[in-house]
Amino acid sequence: QVQLVESGGGLVQAGVSLRLSCAASGRTFSNYAMGWFRQAPGKEREFVAAINWSGDTTYYTDSVKGRFTISRDNAKNTVYLQMNSLKPEDTALYYCAARRPGSYSYYTKINDYHYWGQGTQVTVSS
């Protein structure tokens, strides 16, 4: 079992940066692919970024490419989402997710993931 706790959200103005953290419990964190998703009010949860177990493979949704960076520190059981040049459309509840080892390096679908955090709110004002 893995428990995930997100932090780092907040209310910011457009153009600034935030770094989200996701702390994971469990000794097998380094074996898990990780992902970040977000859900804006009235919208479905959507994929944001993913990273493989070692951190050398990442993938992003088009709308955040060049602005967001996902990374992980397996020694600290933590995955990060560095968000730069934030826009009002980035406003959402951001979720961290973990997936037990599988056939692929990273995963982009909600149903691919086995464990979820409770989310951290990011609000970007214009």
Side-chain angles (χ1 to χ4, degrees):
Q1 189 75 5
V2 173
Q3 292 186 328
L4 305 172
V5 180
E6 303 96 334
S7 62
L11 171 61
V12 297
Q13 290 189 327
V16 303
S17 300
L18 276 177
R19 187 176 81 160
L20 306 183
S21 299
C22 173
S25 65
R27 295 175 294 175
T28 57
F29 171 79
S30 61
N31 297 334
Y32 287 57
M34 302 295 294
W36 285 97
F37 289 75
R38 65 187 181 186
Q39 188 167 16
K43 296 187 177 181
E44 294 186 350
R45 192 173 301 187
E46 65 174 359
F47 168 77
V48 176
I51 191 166
N52 73 330
W53 68 273
S54 65
D56 61 3
T57 301
T58 58
Y59 187 78
Y60 302 90
T61 192
D62 286 345
S63 63
V64 307
K65 284 180 181 177
R67 299 189 299 122
F68 290 12
T69 302
I70 187 172
S71 62
R72 66 189 298 161
D73 185 338
N74 287 341
K76 296 182 178 180
N77 279 15
T78 302
V79 65
Y80 304 97
L81 186 67
Q82 177 67 43
M83 305 186 296
N84 299 330
S85 302
L86 281 163
K87 303 176 180 180
E89 51 263 44
D90 294 320
T91 294
L93 187 60
Y94 282 72
Y95 295 93
C96 171
R99 185 206 155 83
R100 293 190 295 267
S103 301
Y104 302 100
S105 295
Y106 60 83
Y107 299 84
T108 63
K109 297 179 181 179
I110 293 172
N111 291 339
D112 288 333
Y113 288 85
H114 300 106
Y115 306 103
W116 292 84
Q118 295 300 306
T120 185
Q121 179 68 37
V122 173
T123 304
V124 185
S125 63
S126 58

